Amino acid sequence: MALDQHTIELRELVLPSLANHHGSLFAGHGLQLMSKAAFLSARSYAQREVVMAGIRQVHFLAPTPIGCELLLRASVHRVGRSSMSVAVTGWAQAPDFGTQEVLQGVFEMVAIDAGGQPVALHHQGIHKESTP
Ligand SMILES: CCCCCCCCCCCCCCCC(=O)SCCNC(=O)CCNC(=O)[C@H](O)C(C)(C)COP(=O)(O)OP(=O)(O)OC[C@H]1O[C@@H](n2cnc3c(N)ncnc32)[C@H](O)[C@@H]1OP(=O)(O)O
């Protein structure tokens, strides 16, 4: 279960510059925004710098049309010694569109020291190796 204090929100307006030739959010831009949300959530939890070690899964559930607002929520839901799993969910919303869940992903982030080496996290309420 994600803890509210480690949940961050990111909002982006889907302009044509973010779109593909179908008139909806380009997958690469969607991944970039999800990565940014995962990074902000993990760094906020760790209270130190983090890097992305991997992406466990990403699902594009439905297209996000141009003109929609994309709301992303990211929260740390598993904590290891130095690693964290961050779940990211995205919703598309607009007055004439309603609200629809469009993106899901899990990102693996690792806390690092100044030399770029993994460093142990100080746990802040999520049990070690806990799962959602
Ligand atoms: C046009 C441009 C516009 C830009 C608009 C911006 C948009 C977007 C911005 C946001 C962007 C976000 C990201 C920002 C920050 C980077 O940009 S990070 C850059 C990309 N990532 C990297 O360069 C990381 C490269 N890898 C490494 O440095 C090392 O492999 C790591 C990850 C530090 C791990 O080091 P290691 O020596 O392998 O450590 P090791 O002791 O084996 O493992 C340490 C822990 O990592 C875990 N781990 C290691 N590898 C993995 C793996 N592949 N998967 C899962 N866990 C792993 C281990 O299980 C272990 O976990 P714990 O048991 O400690 O909990």
Side-chain angles (χ1 to χ4, degrees), residues 8 19 36 42 54 57 64 67 75 87 101 104 107 118:
I8 69 101
K36 187 189 285 188
Q57 63 177 43
T64 304
S75 58
E101 188 174 341
Q104 288 177 350
F107 295 75

PDB file of all heavy atoms in Angstrom, residues 8 19 36 42 54 57 64 67 75 87 101 104 107 118:
ATOM      1  N   ILE A   8       3.679  11.810  -5.251  1.00  0.00           N
ATOM      2  CA  ILE A   8       3.814  13.117  -5.899  1.00  0.00           C
ATOM      3  C   ILE A   8       2.884  13.138  -7.125  1.00  0.00           C
ATOM      4  O   ILE A   8       2.536  12.098  -7.681  1.00  0.00           O
ATOM      5  CB  ILE A   8       5.277  13.446  -6.301  1.00  0.00           C
ATOM      6  CG1 ILE A   8       5.751  12.563  -7.441  1.00  0.00           C
ATOM      7  CG2 ILE A   8       6.211  13.363  -5.115  1.00  0.00           C
ATOM      8  CD1 ILE A   8       5.721  13.257  -8.759  1.00  0.00           C
ATOM      9  N   ALA A  19       2.580  14.988 -29.286  1.00  0.00           N
ATOM     10  CA  ALA A  19       1.688  13.982 -29.885  1.00  0.00           C
ATOM     11  C   ALA A  19       2.353  13.211 -31.029  1.00  0.00           C
ATOM     12  O   ALA A  19       3.372  13.622 -31.594  1.00  0.00           O
ATOM     13  CB  ALA A  19       0.422  14.658 -30.401  1.00  0.00           C
ATOM     14  N   LYS A  36      10.016  11.012 -15.060  1.00  0.00           N
ATOM     15  CA  LYS A  36      10.217  12.206 -14.227  1.00  0.00           C
ATOM     16  C   LYS A  36       9.427  12.080 -12.925  1.00  0.00           C
ATOM     17  O   LYS A  36       9.947  12.367 -11.841  1.00  0.00           O
ATOM     18  CB  LYS A  36       9.783  13.462 -14.992  1.00  0.00           C
ATOM     19  CG  LYS A  36      10.126  14.746 -14.263  1.00  0.00           C
ATOM     20  CD  LYS A  36       9.501  15.957 -14.930  1.00  0.00           C
ATOM     21  CE  LYS A  36      10.199  16.364 -16.192  1.00  0.00           C
ATOM     22  NZ  LYS A  36       9.689  17.657 -16.719  1.00  0.00           N
ATOM     23  N   ALA A  42      10.902   9.049  -5.888  1.00  0.00           N
ATOM     24  CA  ALA A  42      11.988   8.309  -5.231  1.00  0.00           C
ATOM     25  C   ALA A  42      12.942   9.261  -4.516  1.00  0.00           C
ATOM     26  O   ALA A  42      13.384   8.992  -3.398  1.00  0.00           O
ATOM     27  CB  ALA A  42      12.751   7.474  -6.264  1.00  0.00           C
ATOM     28  N   GLY A  54      15.994   0.550 -13.743  1.00  0.00           N
ATOM     29  CA  GLY A  54      15.218  -0.210 -14.721  1.00  0.00           C
ATOM     30  C   GLY A  54      13.754   0.181 -14.696  1.00  0.00           C
ATOM     31  O   GLY A  54      13.297   0.911 -13.822  1.00  0.00           O
ATOM     32  N   GLN A  57       7.692  -2.491 -15.683  1.00  0.00           N
ATOM     33  CA  GLN A  57       6.571  -2.653 -16.616  1.00  0.00           C
ATOM     34  C   GLN A  57       5.963  -1.299 -16.932  1.00  0.00           C
ATOM     35  O   GLN A  57       5.992  -0.391 -16.100  1.00  0.00           O
ATOM     36  CB  GLN A  57       5.499  -3.565 -16.048  1.00  0.00           C
ATOM     37  CG  GLN A  57       4.850  -3.025 -14.783  1.00  0.00           C
ATOM     38  CD  GLN A  57       3.740  -3.911 -14.281  1.00  0.00           C
ATOM     39  OE1 GLN A  57       3.872  -5.128 -14.254  1.00  0.00           O
ATOM     40  NE2 GLN A  57       2.635  -3.319 -13.881  1.00  0.00           N
ATOM     41  N   THR A  64      -4.152   9.123 -25.132  1.00  0.00           N
ATOM     42  CA  THR A  64      -4.416  10.406 -24.465  1.00  0.00           C
ATOM     43  C   THR A  64      -4.483  11.471 -25.540  1.00  0.00           C
ATOM     44  O   THR A  64      -3.448  11.887 -26.087  1.00  0.00           O
ATOM     45  CB  THR A  64      -3.287  10.737 -23.472  1.00  0.00           C
ATOM     46  OG1 THR A  64      -3.152   9.663 -22.537  1.00  0.00           O
ATOM     47  CG2 THR A  64      -3.574  12.030 -22.724  1.00  0.00           C
ATOM     48  N   GLY A  67      -4.963  17.980 -26.152  1.00  0.00           N
ATOM     49  CA  GLY A  67      -5.917  18.842 -25.451  1.00  0.00           C
ATOM     50  C   GLY A  67      -6.243  18.341 -24.063  1.00  0.00           C
ATOM     51  O   GLY A  67      -6.767  19.089 -23.240  1.00  0.00           O
ATOM     52  N   SER A  75       4.290   6.904  -6.494  1.00  0.00           N
ATOM     53  CA  SER A  75       4.571   6.656  -5.080  1.00  0.00           C
ATOM     54  C   SER A  75       5.473   5.440  -4.915  1.00  0.00           C
ATOM     55  O   SER A  75       5.378   4.470  -5.674  1.00  0.00           O
ATOM     56  CB  SER A  75       3.278   6.483  -4.282  1.00  0.00           C
ATOM     57  OG  SER A  75       2.529   5.438  -4.809  1.00  0.00           O
ATOM     58  N   ALA A  87       5.548   3.087  -8.247  1.00  0.00           N
ATOM     59  CA  ALA A  87       4.384   2.876  -9.117  1.00  0.00           C
ATOM     60  C   ALA A  87       3.906   4.218  -9.638  1.00  0.00           C
ATOM     61  O   ALA A  87       3.768   5.180  -8.872  1.00  0.00           O
ATOM     62  CB  ALA A  87       3.267   2.195  -8.339  1.00  0.00           C
ATOM     63  N   GLU A 101      -8.168   6.404 -16.912  1.00  0.00           N
ATOM     64  CA  GLU A 101      -6.820   5.917 -16.602  1.00  0.00           C
ATOM     65  C   GLU A 101      -6.162   5.474 -17.898  1.00  0.00           C
ATOM     66  O   GLU A 101      -6.732   4.675 -18.656  1.00  0.00           O
ATOM     67  CB  GLU A 101      -6.901   4.759 -15.611  1.00  0.00           C
ATOM     68  CG  GLU A 101      -5.547   4.328 -15.099  1.00  0.00           C
ATOM     69  CD  GLU A 101      -5.651   3.276 -13.995  1.00  0.00           C
ATOM     70  OE1 GLU A 101      -6.736   3.145 -13.394  1.00  0.00           O
ATOM     71  OE2 GLU A 101      -4.648   2.595 -13.766  1.00  0.00           O
ATOM     72  N   GLN A 104       0.126   3.105 -16.772  1.00  0.00           N
ATOM     73  CA  GLN A 104       0.567   2.441 -15.532  1.00  0.00           C
ATOM     74  C   GLN A 104       2.012   2.008 -15.734  1.00  0.00           C
ATOM     75  O   GLN A 104       2.366   1.536 -16.820  1.00  0.00           O
ATOM     76  CB  GLN A 104      -0.250   1.174 -15.255  1.00  0.00           C
ATOM     77  CG  GLN A 104      -1.669   1.398 -14.818  1.00  0.00           C
ATOM     78  CD  GLN A 104      -2.402   0.061 -14.647  1.00  0.00           C
ATOM     79  OE1 GLN A 104      -1.906  -0.993 -15.030  1.00  0.00           O
ATOM     80  NE2 GLN A 104      -3.594   0.134 -14.078  1.00  0.00           N
ATOM     81  N   PHE A 107       8.763   1.592 -11.833  1.00  0.00           N
ATOM     82  CA  PHE A 107      10.129   2.010 -12.110  1.00  0.00           C
ATOM     83  C   PHE A 107      11.024   1.650 -10.930  1.00  0.00           C
ATOM     84  O   PHE A 107      10.632   1.852  -9.779  1.00  0.00           O
ATOM     85  CB  PHE A 107      10.170   3.528 -12.361  1.00  0.00           C
ATOM     86  CG  PHE A 107       9.416   3.938 -13.600  1.00  0.00           C
ATOM     87  CD1 PHE A 107       8.034   3.968 -13.607  1.00  0.00           C
ATOM     88  CD2 PHE A 107      10.097   4.278 -14.750  1.00  0.00           C
ATOM     89  CE1 PHE A 107       7.328   4.313 -14.750  1.00  0.00           C
ATOM     90  CE2 PHE A 107       9.406   4.632 -15.896  1.00  0.00           C
ATOM     91  CZ  PHE A 107       8.017   4.647 -15.900  1.00  0.00           C
ATOM     92  N   PRO A 118      25.580   2.731  -4.904  1.00  0.00           N
ATOM     93  CA  PRO A 118      24.352   2.536  -4.125  1.00  0.00           C
ATOM     94  C   PRO A 118      24.600   2.781  -2.645  1.00  0.00           C
ATOM     95  O   PRO A 118      25.670   2.440  -2.118  1.00  0.00           O
ATOM     96  CB  PRO A 118      24.021   1.050  -4.362  1.00  0.00           C
ATOM     97  CG  PRO A 118      24.760   0.677  -5.590  1.00  0.00           C
ATOM     98  CD  PRO A 118      25.977   1.530  -5.651  1.00  0.00           C
TER      99      PRO A 118
END
